[in-house]
Amino acid sequence: MHNNIKMKAENVDFFYGPRQALKDINLDICEKRVTAIIGPSGCGKSTFIRLLNRMNELIPNTSLKGRILLDGEDIFGQQVDAVGIRRRVGMVFQKPNPFPKSIFENVSYGLHVNGVKDKKLIEKKVVSSLEKAALWDDIKDRLHESALKLSGGQQQRLCIARCLAVEPEVLLFDEPCASLDPISTGKIEELIMELKKYYTIVIVTHNMQQAARISDHTAFFLLGELIEMGKTQDIFTAPKDKRTEDYITGRFG
Amino acid sequence: MERHFDEELKGLNSEILRMGSLTEEAIVDSVKALKEQSREMAANVINSDRKIDSLELEIEEKCLTLMALHQPAAVDLRFLTAAMKLNNELERIADLAVDIAQRVLEIVDKPLLKPLVDIPKLCVIAQTMVKESIDAFVNRDIALAKKVVLSDAEADKLRNFVQDELVSEYISKDASTATRAVPLLLIARHLERICDHATNIAEDVIYMVEAKVVKHHPEEL
């Protein structure tokens, strides 16, 4: 991988109580590329992606060893503010989770939280975020309607717009299409391809064809370990590890 | 874990094996037709090609269907792409056997120019290379595939020898022998081309098994 490294995991171990969920993970995430994390349920991929913006801290009785770097700086460093990290590293979840507010308020929410008061600036950022999330044309005439009236796919794009409004550098997607139909899935995938021009993207997915279609690099996790990482085209044509091959060809189990 | 897909792949494997043995038969029969000066045997080779052509279409359709429905990756993807390429190579080999049979028909009524020595040898090499390339595919046998690739040099040498002999000993000494010498020369050429196709198959087998490209990179062997 010759690209700039935006995030880096160094010797990461993670525990839920006594149970070790991640074992000595070392992984580079390249800037303005899509990195897909694949692996069977329980392999630690969601746990890993949640570490990348310190969401693990919200779960009691967990512990972390090793370092996670963002632009070379340890995101768990003592001087580092978790809220600041979550602004720089946004997350989109499996199930769209719009707030029970208007479309406009959903997108402007993060700006308010970050203390932005200038109404014109807020409006400008809401519009540009909705445009970047490919939702603007769908909803431009009903910005003040409830976000809950949108379809599942639209709600997911709204959640992406909500992330974009605070101008993150990295976007984390945890199974973003798991609850969407193929058409909405296609739109999110197209959107991710578009967004990688501006953002570094990490996506956890159970859908291997999705990883193959949209990612530049793929990491395969199994039982808390990183088994193999490489260019997506290499992983899907000629993986080096037998376990990777068994998983992506469906022989696993 | 055995998958339903594996059953389909096994089915495809045996169809390719069938295509391989029909093709091998065509090569042997075409040269036998030459040795025995048999018009009937040559005609049979030409007629049997239809069977091989339709099998080629069947195999191709099967490969496309499996790709569309199973979206294979890694070793499965390499197997299916190898199967498709191999299918084309075998069909081309069978066409070359037809070409040989047609050359035989051109000279079948004339006395043989000379006793056949090297052409039958070349035929044995071609037939062996085709058989071994298919065996290498079916058994994922890298060592055998490499042996096939390395055998090609021997075929080239023999073809050149036949060509030189026919030109220097016959055509250049007596131009009237050309009508009988040129078909023999072409038959040697067709057999050597069959060896080239077998080499392609072996190279595809190496990629299928090891994901290593040896085509145009002999140093990788």
Side-chain angles (χ1 to χ4, degrees):
Chain A
M1 289 183 231
H2 303 291
N3 310 295
N4 286 340
I5 292 166
K6 183 71 183 173
M7 293 194 83
K8 193 177 184 70
E10 280 183 352
N11 310 109
V12 169
D13 291 319
F14 187 76
F15 299 82
Y16 290 107
R19 189 176 75 80
Q20 186 164 8
L22 293 174
K23 292 170 198 161
D24 197 27
I25 305 293
N26 287 282
L27 182 157
D28 291 344
I29 292 162
C30 293
E31 187 171 31
K32 292 181 185 167
R33 293 283 182 276
V34 178
T35 301
I37 301 179
I38 60 170
S41 298
C43 70
K45 55 192 190 301
S46 289
T47 298
F48 178 75
I49 202 177
R50 275 151 213 251
L51 291 179
L52 298 179
N53 74 347
R54 292 179 59 166
M55 297 259 302
N56 59 301
E57 292 180 348
L58 307 173
I59 311 165
N61 198 24
T62 58
S63 57
L64 169 77
K65 283 183 198 156
R67 301 201 304 163
I68 295 202
L69 309 177
L70 173 61
D71 289 334
E73 187 192 7
D74 187 353
I75 64 169
F76 290 94
Q78 286 189 338
Q79 307 298 315
V80 181
D81 165 39
V83 176
I85 291 296
R86 289 182 201 135
R87 191 191 58 69
R88 291 175 67 193
V89 184
M91 165 102 66
V92 176
F93 296 89
Q94 182 169 348
K95 225 173 147 227
N97 56 349
F99 303 136
K101 290 171 177 286
S102 73
I103 294 168
F104 187 95
E105 287 167 317
N106 261 278
V107 183
S108 64
Y109 188 85
L111 298 168
H112 289 301
V113 171
N114 282 290
V116 182
K117 296 230 163 36
D118 181 341
K119 278 193 177 170
K120 279 208 167 143
L121 180 67
I122 291 176
E123 202 175 308
K124 206 174 124 195
K125 287 199 171 175
V126 168
V127 174
S128 74
S129 303
L130 287 166
E131 281 172 345
K132 276 190 193 161
L135 189 58
W136 177 247
D137 289 338
D138 290 18
I139 51 85
K140 60 186 173 201
D141 302 323
R142 43 190 180 125
L143 281 175
H144 298 287
E145 283 180 21
S146 167
L148 303 178
K149 284 188 185 167
L150 298 174
S151 72
Q154 288 172 328
Q155 287 188 1
Q156 195 60 305
R157 279 179 280 150
L158 178 67
C159 294
I160 294 170
R162 194 170 64 192
C163 271
L164 299 182
V166 296
E167 296 176 351
E169 296 155 47
V170 180
L171 287 172
L172 309 175
F173 289 87
D174 191 357
E175 288 274 359
C177 303
S179 61
L180 303 182
D181 66 51
I183 304 284
S184 305
T185 297
K187 283 185 184 165
I188 300 282
E189 287 180 3
E190 285 299 321
L191 180 57
I192 289 174
M193 305 284 271
E194 192 59 31
L195 290 173
K196 81 168 183 184
K197 291 180 191 158
Y198 314 100
Y199 308 95
T200 300
I201 293 172
V202 184
I203 176 169
V204 161
T205 177
H206 269 124
N207 180 337
M208 276 177 291
Q209 290 308 319
Q210 179 170 70
R213 280 192 296 268
I214 66 173
S215 71
D216 301 289
H217 301 115
T218 296
F220 170 58
F221 277 52
L222 182 65
L223 300 169
E225 286 180 66
L226 173 62
I227 303 297
E228 183 170 354
M229 180 167 192
K231 280 188 187 161
T232 297
Q233 68 184 67
D234 294 339
I235 297 281
F236 281 88
T237 54
K240 291 190 176 68
D241 194 288
K242 178 80 172 61
R243 291 166 292 179
T244 315
E245 178 147 290
D246 284 348
Y247 182 68
I248 63 170
T249 57
R251 284 190 177 83
F252 208 79
Chain B
M1 185 176 67
E2 183 84 357
R3 305 162 303 171
H4 176 69
F5 186 43
D6 292 322
E7 280 301 310
E8 305 261 22
L9 295 181
K10 273 186 208 158
L12 183 60
N13 225 5
S14 33
E15 279 198 67
I16 285 177
L17 206 54
R18 203 171 128 234
M19 174 97 173
S21 55
L22 287 175
T23 307
E24 244 180 85
E25 217 175 280
I27 305 168
V28 175
D29 288 353
S30 65
V31 176
K32 207 167 165 198
L34 172 67
K35 282 194 280 193
E36 296 180 11
Q37 296 284 83
S38 164
R39 177 180 289 278
E40 193 191 340
M41 210 177 271
N44 272 345
V45 171
I46 295 168
N47 292 334
S48 314
D49 193 48
R50 257 176 279 155
K51 215 171 5 175
I52 294 176
D53 286 347
S54 70
L55 194 53
E56 184 206 11
L57 295 179
E58 262 175 54
I59 291 174
E60 188 162 300
E61 196 186 328
K62 187 150 196 177
C63 289
L64 286 172
T65 306
L66 289 175
M67 283 199 182
L69 299 185
H70 294 270
Q71 298 165 10
V75 66
D76 297 333
L77 179 65
R78 301 202 304 272
F79 172 80
L80 277 177
T81 48
M84 282 187 92
K85 291 167 88 178
L86 200 131
N87 189 33
N88 289 340
E89 300 287 356
L90 287 174
E91 193 273 335
R92 291 290 302 127
I93 290 173
D95 283 351
L96 285 162
V98 168
D99 289 342
I100 294 173
Q102 279 166 344
R103 298 294 85 73
V104 171
L105 291 179
E106 287 165 15
I107 51 174
V108 75
D109 297 327
K110 301 166 191 159
L112 267 179
L113 188 61
K114 63 183 275 298
L116 297 170
V117 181
D118 294 314
I119 287 181
K121 272 193 211 161
L122 193 51
C123 174
V124 170
I125 294 177
Q127 186 208 348
T128 309
M129 283 176 72
V130 171
K131 182 181 184 319
E132 289 182 341
S133 67
I134 306 289
D135 286 348
F137 173 79
V138 172
N139 302 318
R140 278 116 175 106
D141 186 339
I142 285 286
L144 194 57
K146 286 181 180 168
K147 178 178 171 248
V148 172
V149 176
L150 295 172
S151 310
D152 194 38
E154 178 65 23
D156 291 346
K157 218 165 79 184
L158 210 50
R159 194 277 317 260
N160 288 340
F161 184 77
V162 171
Q163 186 170 307
D164 289 348
E165 189 191 23
L166 287 168
V167 172
S168 60
E169 296 297 316
Y170 297 92
I171 301 174
S172 60
K173 285 186 181 161
D174 176 4
S176 72
T177 60
T179 49
R180 287 182 294 157
V182 170
L184 289 179
L185 198 148
L186 286 173
I187 287 172
R189 161 94 181 133
H190 297 326
L191 286 168
E192 185 266 329
R193 289 295 297 147
I194 288 174
C195 296
D196 289 343
H197 287 291
T199 305
N200 289 346
I201 294 176
E203 288 167 341
D204 289 336
V205 170
I206 293 171
Y207 178 72
M208 175 181 83
V209 179
E210 288 191 331
K212 200 164 81 180
V213 179
V214 295
K215 196 167 270 187
H216 314 308
H217 294 282
E219 72 282 0
E220 289 284 337
L221 264 182

